[in-house]
Amino acid sequence: MRMTVNQASRALYAACVSAALSAASCSDDGGGEGTQGAGTAQTGGNGSSGEATGTASNGSATGDASSGGGSGGGSTTTGTPTTTGPVTTGPSGTTTTGPDPTAGSSGGDTTTGGDAQVVRFVVLGDTGEGNEDQYSVAQAIVEICAQRGCDFGVLTGDNFYDSGVSGVDDPQWQSKFEDPYMDIEFPIYAVLGNHDYGGGGIGVDFDGDKPIYQVEYTQLSEKWRMPDLYYSFKQGSAEFWFLDTNQVMTDPLNGSSDPQKDWLGSGATASAATWKFAFGHHPYISNGDHGNAGSYENIEAIPLPFVTGENVKEFMDEALCGKIDVYISGHDHNLQWLEPTCGTEFIVSGAGSKSEGLPGDNPVYFQAPSMEGFIWVEVAGDSFTGVFYDKTAKELYSKTLTK
């Protein structure tokens, strides 16, 4: 069979990545279970990491908006909150409607779903295993959302291990999405991870349509939402951007990321929202095994930007840092709230079905190794609260920022 130029490029990319990872004696996060068990949550202030039991009383902290120097602490021009289903434009120029701000899950506090100024949602990532832990996290979400309210959910990528889906009729849609989240009654918005692009996690595949299948499935599911490869919407006092960081990571093999960078940078700059959130798979900074963008896998000595994440670092330096208030990612299979840098708060929520350790040393407010879970978020006017929960719905840590 004769390969096309693009197929040959993908094959060369895969070979280069595999060789680089082998030379560094490391490997990508595969479809395994990860490290299981109850880990010890850690909290820190001003870079120090103290041991905590992870209970609500020991693991909670209320942050002043000015603490840590992040953009969440600065004054921001406040725009008029959106009170109708928002419209968003994705890379193909299509438009889609965001969640109905009057149709959320109310739980014990009926302001969600009734007050368009309040937005509540959960974020979890690296979910696509179909294993017991994925189901446990899903049930914990059901419990917390019944108590506290949720308007929508967010998946931060690697929605289907090990190599994405083969089409809209792939049985993995049932076993790794519809069945685990059967009891969730709100829409779930997703972004793409490296495993969703295929190649066993390398992020390129001979089937270049793998990411498109996840966009197309939006038309077939009552719950799944991915209107385009990257997209945005507004609700309440917040605006949300959903990124395709694997396209950035592998640029140009999955297309140029310049249009996405321009879209994010110009959109965030022009936005009058009080709170600006972005979601993507790859972290900017992380204490997990993958580490910080620009030196992923701790192999910055190997000059391959599609391995070290230099493309991701440059993208975020230019389009996200100081423009987005909060960036939530996955890729590393743990829970982290890092101290802000470059004018942005960075959170990792990648423990939706498995968990791993935290070998890095970036300063943190909180981190939990070897513990599956998620983060619940409430945006109410000029305040933003994030609360981490484990797979048993136990509260681990809470922090509030106010502008």
Side-chain angles (χ1 to χ4, degrees):
M1 179 183 72
R2 179 176 294 177
M3 292 192 294
T4 66
V5 173
N6 192 47
Q7 286 175 327
S9 298
R10 289 171 180 272
L12 179 60
Y13 172 94
C16 289
V17 171
S18 296
L21 293 176
S22 296
S25 299
C26 66
S27 61
D28 181 49
D29 55 339
E33 296 294 324
T35 304
Q36 307 298 324
T40 301
Q42 301 169 346
T43 58
N46 299 321
S48 62
S49 294
E51 294 294 325
T53 62
T55 63
S57 59
N58 292 335
S60 64
T62 300
D64 186 287
S66 62
S67 66
S71 65
S75 60
T76 303
T77 302
T78 303
T80 302
T82 301
T83 56
T84 59
V87 175
T88 176
T89 303
S92 63
T94 58
T95 58
T96 184
T97 302
D100 182 351
T102 64
S105 168
S106 61
D109 184 343
T110 57
T111 56
T112 299
D115 185 349
Q117 307 298 317
V118 181
V119 185
R120 298 183 177 115
F121 57 93
V122 292
V123 187
L124 61 160
D126 301 78
T127 57
E129 290 284 4
N131 60 10
E132 181 178 348
D133 285 325
Q134 184 180 5
Y135 277 83
S136 295
V137 172
Q139 288 306 305
I141 288 172
V142 171
E143 180 178 337
I144 295 304
C145 289
Q147 296 172 6
R148 308 196 67 169
C150 293
D151 296 301
F152 59 89
V154 177
L155 300 182
T156 60
D158 281 0
N159 310 311
F160 299 94
Y161 288 106
D162 194 27
S163 291
V165 291
S166 60
V168 295
D169 56 353
D170 190 314
Q172 291 182 99
W173 284 109
Q174 199 68 34
S175 62
K176 297 179 180 179
F177 179 75
E178 299 290 352
D179 287 349
Y181 305 123
M182 181 184 304
D183 296 330
I184 289 177
E185 299 179 348
F186 45 78
I188 299 176
Y189 290 82
V191 299
L192 295 158
N194 49 299
H195 282 274
D196 299 310
Y197 266 82
I202 290 176
V204 295
D205 198 276
F206 284 115
D207 183 356
D209 288 333
K210 279 184 174 286
I212 302 301
Y213 302 144
Q214 297 198 29
V215 174
E216 293 175 341
Y217 189 72
T218 301
Q219 304 302 317
L220 303 178
S221 174
E222 295 182 357
K223 202 163 296 177
W224 176 269
R225 299 289 186 273
M226 187 185 289
D228 220 322
L229 299 179
Y230 51 91
Y231 56 99
S232 66
F233 62 78
K234 302 174 184 177
Q235 187 170 343
S237 60
E239 187 162 1
F240 307 94
W241 285 265
F242 297 78
L243 311 180
D244 181 359
T245 61
N246 190 70
Q247 182 195 60
V248 179
M249 182 82 172
T250 60
D251 185 338
L253 291 177
N254 288 307
S256 171
S257 60
D258 286 344
Q260 183 180 182
K261 180 171 63 177
D262 293 342
W263 164 82
L264 174 62
S266 61
T269 299
S271 174
T274 303
W275 291 99
K276 303 173 188 181
F277 291 83
F279 309 97
H281 184 62
H282 294 83
Y284 181 74
I285 53 174
S286 170
N287 286 336
D289 288 334
H290 290 298
N292 299 339
S295 58
Y296 286 158
E297 322 304 339
N298 297 313
I299 51 176
E300 62 248 307
I302 300 177
L304 297 175
F306 44 79
V307 175
T308 64
E310 185 61 36
N311 289 347
V312 175
K313 185 179 188 307
E314 291 178 359
F315 177 97
M316 294 189 181
D317 283 340
E318 294 181 31
L320 187 144
C321 282
K323 298 181 176 70
I324 294 295
D325 294 304
V326 184
Y327 176 66
I328 307 179
S329 64
H331 201 41
D332 279 319
H333 306 152
N334 38 56
L335 305 172
Q336 306 173 53
W337 192 323
L338 299 112
E339 292 191 13
T341 187
C342 78
T344 297
E345 297 278 340
F346 291 100
I347 295 171
V348 176
S349 183
S353 69
K354 52 189 175 182
S355 57
E356 294 169 345
L358 289 159
D361 59 1
N362 293 293
V364 299
Y365 293 125
F366 166 83
Q367 59 184 8
S370 304
M371 185 180 297
E372 295 79 20
F374 62 97
I375 186 169
W376 175 88
V377 174
E378 178 182 81
V379 183
D382 61 358
S383 72
F384 149 59
T385 297
V387 185
F388 280 111
Y389 291 93
D390 72 7
K391 64 183 179 182
T392 69
K394 176 184 178 181
E395 182 175 328
L396 302 173
Y397 178 79
S398 175
K399 187 174 181 64
T400 294
L401 302 178
T402 304
K403 289 195 173 186

